[in-house]
Amino acid sequence: MATTHHPVSKGERQKWPANFDVERVRKDFPVLDQTVHGRPLVYLDNAATSQKPLAVIEAEERFYRHDCSNIHRGVHELSERATRSYENARVTAQRFLNASDSKEIIFVRGATEAINLVASSFGRQNVNAGDEILITAMEHHSNIVPWQMLCEEKCAILRVAPINDRGELLFDEFVKLLGPKTRLVAVVHVSNVLGTINPVREIIEAAHRKKVPVLLDGAQAAPHLAVDVQELDCDFYTFSGHKLYGPTGVGVLYGKADLLDAMPPYQGGGDMISSVTFEKTIYNSLPYKFEAGTPNIAAGIALGAAIDYVNGIGFENVAAYEDELLAYATEAVSRVPGLKIIGTAEKKAGVISFVMEGIHPHDVGTILDQEGIAVRTGHHCAQPLMERFGIPATTRASLAFYNTKAEIDALVTGIHKVKELLG
Ligand SMILES: Cc1ncc(COP(=O)(O)O)c(C=O)c1O
């Protein structure tokens, strides 16, 4: 199989366009144009999954209508087209993260699988009895449980860096927990519950001073912030396509080539080998060593389309607009009497979680749904974080660049209605 690598230097990054017109952007998302329970849909559950622009829907459809074939194995035209599109998507993902080489981009099912891959492969190889993995108190279950499983298997120890009442990492405490036994730091870039943007550069610098590699869970960061893995100097970075306006079933694990090269495969099967006999198997080179079996080809291609779409709008525009919207929403929501925002970090992106005096979040979500407003309620796959704040659940409104100030107003009106009915 031919492997083409496309090194990208930092200077080559896309120049972002300057204009942003939310009403025009909304027209690209067909799902937004509907009523729910007789009200215009207000979709504020973007941290769970975001909606897909036509460019993504059409990329999937184009694959199945015109190019459907397996990749990396056929000599026929359709297979070559499919392979080309899939590998182009890998280069698009490489440029998106500013990785230095496309072989550092491993396609996986999503952030969850990416973290499990690192725990199973890097973890099993490098973590032994008495060693430590360091995470934070604001991790999603997918950045807790794989490490717990590894620690159980290896008699290793999971250390948890604490946070303050605003939902910010206590950096000094984090540094104190970085010890001679720490084998990996695994930290969320942006919290899915609190919206906190972690000081990842400082975290990486502190860990590297102790020669400890760092994995960043970028599931909630990739849709909101421009990420440059070379500038950050992180060792692993993960994100899910479906939170980045792409399809479900695909995501990316970035890893530094020397680390990935030294790691054993995650799964065995087709495509991850270079030769097999019953006596011995020689593994394929990167990235294919970690991509056993037929992947979600259509989703990979459509993820490339999603990244192209966001790049077309411009990440600076996205970030600036979302910042403005978050500030507007925070101000409006926090004026509701008896409502408390959980997660008031100085640096935040995309998320407002809140609790209301005497009203269960599930009831808040149900009444908002009757108003056509989609929010998430529950523990958000972060039960230890709920425990840290002494609450069972929150209501979470999470933003995307297609949300509007009018939708935030609708949310606030909806919350007042909840108070009227249940308060
Ligand atoms: C911070 C964070 N990490 C990881 C994940 C897991 O992503 P996925 O379910 O797409 O694998 C999520 C999903 O909500 C998340 O918010």
Side-chain angles (χ1 to χ4, degrees):
M1 179 205 333
T3 313
T4 3
H5 297 137
H6 303 262
V8 174
S9 73
K10 277 188 208 172
E12 263 183 70
R13 278 215 94 168
Q14 184 144 351
K15 298 272 181 294
W16 313 116
N19 298 319
F20 182 77
D21 175 352
V22 67
E23 290 307 330
R24 193 178 58 79
V25 161
R26 286 177 69 83
K27 293 198 170 65
D28 294 334
F29 292 81
V31 80
L32 297 177
D33 185 20
Q34 63 174 295
T35 53
V36 168
H37 304 305
R39 305 294 178 95
L41 169 67
V42 174
Y43 187 78
L44 294 171
D45 194 17
N46 295 286
T49 201
S50 55
Q51 300 300 345
K52 321 305 171 200
L54 274 169
V56 168
I57 298 165
E58 285 168 2
E60 280 234 25
E61 195 193 353
R62 201 177 315 119
F63 172 77
Y64 285 121
R65 271 188 190 276
H66 299 291
D67 302 332
C68 184
S69 177
N70 215 322
I71 52 170
H72 298 150
R73 46 192 87 174
V75 290
H76 58 82
E77 169 65 19
L78 260 58
S79 177
E80 287 193 359
R81 263 192 248 153
T83 303
R84 212 162 34 240
S85 301
Y86 193 71
E87 291 305 322
N88 282 343
R90 193 189 306 277
V91 174
T92 304
Q94 174 208 351
R95 296 207 162 121
F96 177 66
L97 293 178
N98 195 31
S100 62
D101 199 305
S102 64
K103 70 179 179 181
E104 297 179 313
I105 301 296
I106 316 291
F107 280 129
V108 287
R109 277 193 296 128
T112 302
E113 187 174 47
I115 298 168
N116 276 279
L117 190 163
V118 177
S120 296
S121 172
F122 176 89
R124 285 220 183 98
Q125 189 180 46
N126 293 287
V127 176
N128 294 303
D131 287 345
E132 297 174 4
I133 307 282
L134 178 54
I135 62 172
T136 77
M138 66 176 96
E139 302 306 322
H140 186 278
H141 293 164
S142 62
N143 201 28
I144 302 173
V145 184
W147 307 118
Q148 272 176 336
M149 289 162 66
L150 176 69
C151 288
E152 206 164 299
E153 183 184 322
K154 295 287 194 162
C155 295
I157 300 154
L158 189 65
R159 298 270 183 225
V160 183
I163 58 176
N164 64 21
D165 290 342
R166 294 166 63 99
E168 294 164 321
L169 179 69
L170 291 171
F171 188 72
D172 292 346
E173 300 299 316
F174 166 82
V175 172
K176 275 188 218 156
L177 286 168
L178 264 174
K181 292 275 186 189
T182 314
R183 294 290 166 262
L184 185 79
V185 166
V187 172
V188 72
H189 192 170
V190 171
S191 160
N192 63 311
V193 179
L194 308 166
T196 307
I197 304 176
N198 271 316
V200 288
R201 195 161 309 174
E202 290 82 351
I203 288 172
I204 291 163
E205 275 170 19
H208 283 180
R209 256 182 258 124
K210 302 259 168 112
K211 305 225 172 329
V212 178
V214 179
L215 175 144
L216 293 182
D217 169 3
Q220 298 296 343
H224 301 291
L225 314 171
V227 176
D228 184 330
V229 291
Q230 290 189 74
E231 199 189 332
L232 287 173
D233 197 28
C234 59
D235 300 279
F236 299 103
Y237 197 93
T238 73
F239 70 88
S240 296
H242 70 98
K243 297 184 197 283
L244 184 62
Y245 313 101
T248 54
V250 71
V252 164
L253 168 67
Y254 157 81
K256 283 181 180 166
D258 56 339
L259 283 172
L260 292 175
D261 260 329
M263 284 158 51
Y266 171 51
Q267 294 177 326
D271 231 25
M272 54 73 73
I273 55 89
S274 128
S275 78
V276 178
T277 66
F278 284 121
E279 288 69 41
K280 185 166 175 58
T281 291
I282 313 268
Y283 303 133
N284 206 339
S285 54
L286 291 177
Y288 311 108
K289 182 171 86 171
F290 291 106
E291 295 182 354
T294 301
N296 193 336
I297 304 167
I301 293 168
L303 172 58
I307 294 173
D308 284 341
Y309 177 83
V310 180
N311 280 341
I313 294 174
F315 241 99
E316 279 178 2
N317 294 323
V318 166
Y321 178 77
E322 287 182 354
D323 275 356
E324 193 185 326
L325 200 61
L326 181 63
Y328 182 80
T330 304
E331 154 78 17
V333 168
S334 55
R335 264 192 272 118
V336 178
L339 182 150
K340 185 176 174 212
I341 292 182
I342 305 293
T344 51
E346 205 181 307
K347 291 192 175 146
K348 275 189 69 169
V351 170
I352 299 184
S353 274
F354 61 88
V355 289
M356 293 175 72
E357 225 171 74
I359 308 174
H360 194 278
H362 185 77
D363 296 331
V364 179
T366 306
I367 292 172
L368 289 178
D369 176 54
Q370 289 305 308
E371 301 296 308
I373 302 167
V375 293
R376 173 101 181 255
T377 62
H379 54 63
H380 315 293
C381 299
Q383 282 180 334
L385 183 59
M386 296 294 113
E387 208 176 308
R388 161 64 183 78
F389 281 94
I391 49 177
T394 74
T395 303
R396 180 185 71 185
S398 53
L399 310 178
F401 55 72
Y402 45 63
N403 290 127
T404 63
K405 288 187 175 175
E407 288 183 316
I408 301 300
D409 295 341
L411 171 68
V412 174
T413 306
I415 294 172
H416 280 292
K417 182 147 192 193
V418 172
K419 270 180 72 81
E420 265 168 44
L421 291 172
L422 301 177

